[in-house]
Amino acid sequence: MARSLLDKLKDLERTAGVRRSSGEAAPADEARDAAPAAQLCNVENHREGELAEAGFQKLSTPHGPVWVRETGFDLCTSYGDRPFADFLSCDFARLSRLAKADVAPERMMFYDVEATGLGHGGGTVPFLHAVGYFADDEFRVAQYFVPDYAAEAAVVRLLADRFGRDGSVMVTYNGKSYDWPLFVNRCVLYGLIPPEPAHLDLLHPARRLWKRVVGRMKLADVEALLGVKRAGDLPGSEAPLRYFAYVQGAPVASMEDVFAHNLRDVCTLARLALEIAEALEERRSWPHAAPHVGLATWFDAWREWESADAQFRRAVEQEDADWRARWLFSLFLKRRGQWDEACEIWLELARDFPNRPEPLVEAAKYFEHHRRDLAKALEAAQAAQARVAEESREHGEIARRLERIRRKLKRGAALPG
């Protein structure tokens, strides 16, 4: 494990000479003691000079210095295929419903960390925190850097105060599983009560919309949908190695790729939030069924039936409309009482998916209870039973349905005329 600068300087002190705990030091000892102190001062001044040249400012706090670098983007600046200014004209009503908080550009904090590992334990140190926010006609990204392990406490305390502001909405990507629990653990480590801002983790809505389109759901995979292209970007997995090398004495220039990667991640968070907000406002369309199905299931759960119906219809019109899209649409129509259209889909599914019994079971229910056409109900149930294994639970359920339909047919045949 990498040693901190403080550990190396202690080794230097031990090598140069041992301080006496009491008594008067000999002149030779005093000379030896003065050397490590001077070297320590020179090293610290050099490191601070490097950070200042890299654009970091040193903030004095009651708990120690904090190094922060702010990067501002004019709202007309495009990231991917959209300018940041589009945030100001976007309706966040449905995104607020998804976040269960009042989402507005001035309330949002886009948060991403770079850490020494992927765990949440005490050995995993978040050495770079980035917070994106809108202010003064700009989108800004503040990057809080931990130049050595001893400096972390001041950074954590400063960020805890910032995140604890009333009305703030934390926006992350996989932050509920990683970034935020890691920060909470660091707060506990330093004896702080963790703040509790509203939290919108974009991984989950992004997964619902595009999992079946892009496959893997890393942020870099989703960027392709947003018109974002990274050239020469440092893989996030290499960031810890760069930090360990920096702590061991490498120049701050070796960290620039890490800073740039972290900055891009936060900008992508903002672009992704805009994409999801506009999707929820039905201002986006895709040549794939899955995103429209994802929207439809949200609207269905929110009882926004008209929007749900429109999105389901868009979904089944796409060339890649699969079993799931058509099946969920049929069940939606069933719940809305649109039985005839639902049955048309069930019969189509039964034809297109000859191994699936479910559409035939639904068709049997429809013919038996709504059309009162027992002959067709019997035919559909028999076809469904032929598609399931005899020892299965479904086979027994269909057998009971067949028995009931046959009894009804016998009673009908026994009636006069």
Side-chain angles (χ1 to χ4, degrees):
M1 183 175 180
R3 295 184 302 153
S4 70
L5 179 60
L6 183 61
D7 290 334
K8 292 195 298 177
L9 291 172
K10 286 181 178 178
D11 288 344
L12 183 61
E13 286 184 350
R14 285 193 293 269
T15 302
V18 179
R19 299 177 186 272
R20 296 186 179 182
S21 59
S22 62
E24 183 177 352
D29 290 338
E30 290 178 355
R32 285 196 297 269
D33 287 342
Q39 291 175 353
L40 173 61
C41 184
N42 290 337
V43 170
E44 288 181 348
N45 290 339
H46 177 69
R47 299 297 255 182
E48 291 188 0
E50 280 191 323
L51 289 169
E53 289 180 4
F56 284 88
Q57 290 185 325
K58 185 178 180 181
L59 303 181
S60 297
T61 76
H63 306 284
V66 172
W67 290 92
V68 59
R69 181 168 76 176
E70 291 228 9
T71 305
F73 300 93
D74 184 273
L75 292 180
C76 294
T77 304
S78 291
Y79 186 75
D81 54 5
R82 303 289 294 278
F84 289 110
D86 285 355
F87 260 85
L88 305 183
S89 60
C90 184
D91 187 345
F92 291 97
R94 280 175 169 164
L95 189 65
S96 297
R97 191 168 187 175
L98 190 66
K100 299 179 181 178
D102 184 11
V103 175
E106 64 274 12
R107 296 174 180 269
M108 301 168 81
M109 296 184 299
F110 303 92
Y111 180 54
D112 183 70
V113 303
E114 304 297 333
T116 58
L118 297 177
H120 296 151
T124 301
V125 178
F127 59 84
L128 182 62
H129 305 255
V131 182
Y133 62 100
F134 287 91
D136 300 330
D137 297 326
E138 284 187 329
F139 178 70
R140 297 178 181 174
V141 180
Q143 293 177 289
Y144 299 84
F145 182 49
V146 180
D148 60 74
Y149 301 120
E152 187 196 8
V155 174
V156 172
R157 291 177 183 276
L158 183 64
L159 287 174
D161 290 339
R162 181 168 189 171
F163 294 153
R165 296 173 186 172
D166 292 339
S168 297
V169 180
M170 177 79 62
V171 183
T172 64
Y173 193 82
N174 199 30
K176 285 189 175 180
S177 299
Y178 180 67
D179 302 70
W180 189 244
L182 179 59
F183 181 77
V184 168
N185 286 348
R186 306 315 287 182
C187 287
V188 173
L189 179 65
Y190 294 111
L192 301 176
I193 298 176
E196 297 181 354
H199 191 171
L200 174 60
D201 188 341
L202 298 181
L203 170 63
H204 306 290
R207 181 181 288 156
R208 178 179 288 203
L209 291 174
W210 299 300
K211 171 67 175 176
R212 295 174 180 270
V213 177
V214 301
R216 298 194 316 167
M217 290 305 297
K218 290 186 176 181
L219 191 58
D221 300 314
V222 178
E223 282 182 336
L225 300 170
L226 310 175
V228 176
K229 297 179 181 179
R230 298 197 194 189
D233 184 57
L234 178 78
S237 59
E238 294 185 19
L241 298 178
R242 294 289 185 96
Y243 182 66
F244 293 144
Y246 172 78
V247 170
Q248 291 175 343
V252 73
S254 65
M255 291 293 297
E256 278 298 339
D257 289 341
V258 180
F259 299 147
H261 172 85
N262 180 244
L263 177 68
R264 293 187 186 109
D265 279 352
V266 172
C267 291
T268 297
L269 279 178
R271 177 66 185 85
L272 180 58
L274 176 65
E275 186 78 5
I276 293 174
E278 290 193 336
L280 289 169
E281 296 304 322
E282 301 178 83
R283 295 175 57 184
R284 304 291 289 164
S285 183
W286 305 271
H288 301 283
H292 295 290
V293 172
L295 290 174
T297 55
W298 269 319
F299 298 147
D300 187 15
W302 294 342
R303 299 177 179 273
E304 297 186 25
W305 314 124
E306 185 176 343
S307 292
D309 185 273
Q311 292 299 324
F312 270 127
R313 293 185 187 280
R314 284 188 182 183
V316 298
E317 289 172 357
Q318 306 306 320
E319 292 185 3
D320 64 348
D322 55 4
W323 161 272
R324 179 174 178 270
R326 295 158 67 184
W327 175 248
L328 290 178
F329 183 36
S330 73
L331 297 183
F332 171 79
L333 293 171
K334 174 184 174 181
R335 292 193 299 273
R336 301 297 299 152
Q338 297 172 247
W339 289 95
D340 292 344
E341 188 175 3
C343 188
E344 290 180 9
I345 296 176
W346 292 328
L347 296 179
E348 290 175 0
L349 288 173
R351 181 184 65 249
D352 296 341
F353 297 90
N355 295 324
R356 302 298 295 258
E358 298 95 325
L360 289 169
V361 171
E362 292 297 330
K365 294 178 185 177
Y366 168 71
F367 289 126
E368 179 184 359
H369 301 296
H370 294 272
R371 288 279 295 274
R372 301 292 193 271
D373 189 334
L374 296 178
K376 285 190 175 181
L378 181 66
E379 179 184 355
Q382 287 175 330
Q385 190 180 51
R387 297 184 177 191
V388 299
E390 291 186 10
E391 65 277 6
S392 67
R393 176 178 56 83
E394 290 83 358
H395 191 278
E397 292 175 351
I398 297 173
R400 289 189 289 274
R401 180 176 299 279
L402 284 168
E403 183 179 355
R404 183 178 65 250
I405 294 172
R406 290 188 179 106
R407 286 200 305 268
K408 290 182 178 180
L409 284 170
K410 288 181 179 179
R411 285 200 300 268
L415 292 175

